Amino acid sequence: MPGSVPPKLPAVALPGWFADFLADRAIRKPSPHTSKAYRQDFEAIAVLMAGSTDAVAGLCIHELTKDRMRSAFAAYAETHSAASIRRCWSTWNTLCTFLFTAELLDANPMPLIGRPKVPKSLPKSYPASAVTDLVAAIDADHGSTRASDWSERDRAIVFTSLLAGLRADELLNANVGDIRRTNDGAILHVRGKGNKDRRLPIGPELLDVLDDYLRTRSNRFPQTRRRTSNTKAPSSFSPTAPLFVGADGDRITRGTLQYRILRAFKRAGINGERASGALVHGLRHTFATELANANVSVYTLMKLMGHESMVTSQRYVDGAGTETRSAAELNPLYGLLSDEKPPL
């Protein structure tokens, strides 16, 4: 009947060696969605190899040969998208690597199994050297007497993009009150695309950069400060005050935001390393790629990026070529903030 709930399919009995794999993965604390994906991807190929769902439990490790795996993946590819095939391939590659490491499988056959290429539209991230040069170009503005030069603000914008993955519109719409301190950093409330809010954990290093910027802002525009005994920089402003402002003290405009980043790219001599039109979005791509390289799960990456579908987030994992596990503070770009800060 229309609107009725489809019957729940019976669970497929698993062979013991796959149950051992799931137990090993469980130690790494994957998200429920990742664990579900492991099982779904396993069952999809295992059923094709075994011939039926009832025969999956009896599937033996020695049956995981190149020819049988290749035939199973060819059949799977007939009814699934390229993204699904790549994810399934990744699951089986992780599984076969586990079995090989445990000396239960003579060799991992997956490198010999074809898989769809990563789409050409895969977002381009910036290498660490380019990010370092970009930050250095911004810091070179410290002490400038030009009203338009504001290294602390530009630094805060760049690192908020790199370490929180905000879109340009999200940077423009952010308010001071969106930063909510915790015992070990802060939570940044982001009003995202399509009116979908998300909350991002940010480390104390990024919070320090934002505090430095807000202190200089208090000096530039003392009339915008609130009278308060609280020494924390965000508390000096109204919660509804814009987080990032221009040289006039008003909410920063899109043109100013893009120009300041473009200027930094040109001054750093790395303008040729960015895709055409990619400025803030290139920094956002770098945030996602670095987290994918740090083995953050697809589901967690989707939540941090504000994507509507895991398929979009999967592109970063495909580009990184790594297995997944969740954590938000693994972004190695935080290391750029461990160096001595420029004097105020």
Side-chain angles (χ1 to χ4, degrees):
M1 295 176 61
S4 62
V5 177
K8 186 176 182 180
L9 297 176
V12 176
L14 304 174
W17 49 268
F18 182 69
D20 292 340
F21 166 76
L22 290 181
D24 177 77
R25 294 291 102 180
I27 297 173
R28 304 166 189 260
K29 294 294 183 181
S31 73
H33 295 266
T34 298
S35 297
K36 182 180 180 181
Y38 280 142
R39 179 158 182 155
Q40 286 180 339
D41 293 339
F42 170 77
E43 291 177 3
I45 299 300
V47 169
L48 292 171
M49 293 182 65
S52 68
T53 55
D54 294 338
V56 169
L59 190 65
C60 297
I61 294 177
H62 66 78
E63 297 179 79
L64 306 183
T65 63
K66 174 192 68 177
D67 291 339
R68 295 194 65 176
M69 295 289 291
R70 183 174 290 164
S71 296
F73 267 89
Y76 180 79
E78 292 179 0
T79 56
H80 289 79
S81 67
S84 295
I85 299 167
R86 283 193 298 270
R87 194 194 72 178
C88 191
W89 188 98
S90 179
T91 293
W92 275 86
N93 184 53
T94 301
L95 169 60
C96 290
T97 299
F98 165 78
L99 296 174
F100 173 72
T101 303
E103 299 182 349
L104 299 174
L105 189 65
D106 291 337
N108 180 1
M110 294 309 298
L112 302 176
I113 310 301
R115 60 172 172 167
K117 293 182 179 179
V118 175
K120 292 182 179 180
S121 60
L122 184 71
K124 180 181 179 181
S125 64
Y126 304 130
S129 58
V131 174
T132 301
D133 291 342
L134 181 68
V135 174
I138 290 173
D139 289 344
D141 281 336
H142 181 73
S144 172
T145 57
R146 294 178 55 187
S148 59
D149 291 342
W150 193 352
S151 64
E152 294 84 1
R153 180 206 57 194
D154 294 350
R155 200 173 202 265
I157 289 173
V158 166
F159 275 111
T160 302
S161 298
L162 285 171
L163 299 175
L166 269 61
R167 301 177 176 92
D169 282 345
E170 293 168 350
L171 290 168
L172 296 174
N173 295 327
N175 293 330
V176 173
D178 294 336
I179 302 173
R180 301 170 186 177
R181 292 177 179 271
T182 63
N183 292 332
D184 55 354
I187 298 296
L188 179 60
H189 178 195
V190 181
R191 286 175 290 280
K193 187 177 180 181
N195 295 321
K196 293 186 177 179
D197 291 4
R198 65 188 188 277
R199 288 165 177 77
L200 300 172
I202 60 176
E205 301 92 342
L206 177 55
L207 189 58
D208 287 344
V209 170
L210 290 166
D211 282 349
D212 287 344
Y213 149 62
L214 290 173
R215 277 191 285 270
T216 63
R217 176 170 157 185
S218 295
N219 295 331
R220 284 189 175 224
F221 309 106
Q223 72 278 10
T224 64
R225 294 182 56 186
R226 295 195 309 177
R227 293 183 178 180
T228 176
S229 59
N230 196 319
T231 60
K232 299 297 184 181
S235 300
S236 300
F237 299 90
S238 166
T240 58
L243 179 57
F244 296 111
V245 299
D248 57 0
D250 293 332
R251 189 179 296 273
I252 195 170
T253 64
R254 178 179 293 274
T256 299
L257 176 67
Q258 300 285 22
Y259 171 74
R260 297 306 300 178
I261 296 178
L262 175 61
R263 178 178 180 272
F265 267 97
K266 290 182 175 180
R267 293 193 69 187
I270 56 173
N271 197 39
E273 296 193 28
R274 66 180 182 86
S276 178
L279 288 167
V280 173
H281 223 61
L283 300 174
R284 173 175 159 85
H285 290 331
T286 303
F287 163 81
T289 300
E290 291 296 332
L291 288 179
N293 281 325
N295 296 334
V296 169
S297 74
V298 177
Y299 177 74
T300 299
L301 191 56
M302 179 185 74
K303 291 299 183 182
L304 292 174
M305 294 289 286
H307 289 152
E308 292 187 357
S309 169
M310 280 196 289
V311 174
T312 306
S313 306
Q314 181 69 38
R315 295 182 301 167
Y316 296 100
V317 177
D318 289 339
T322 57
E323 65 179 272
T324 59
R325 60 184 166 87
S326 65
E329 290 83 10
L330 289 175
N331 196 328
L333 292 172
Y334 267 106
L336 293 173
L337 295 178
S338 62
D339 299 331
E340 183 178 355
K341 301 183 182 69
L344 294 178

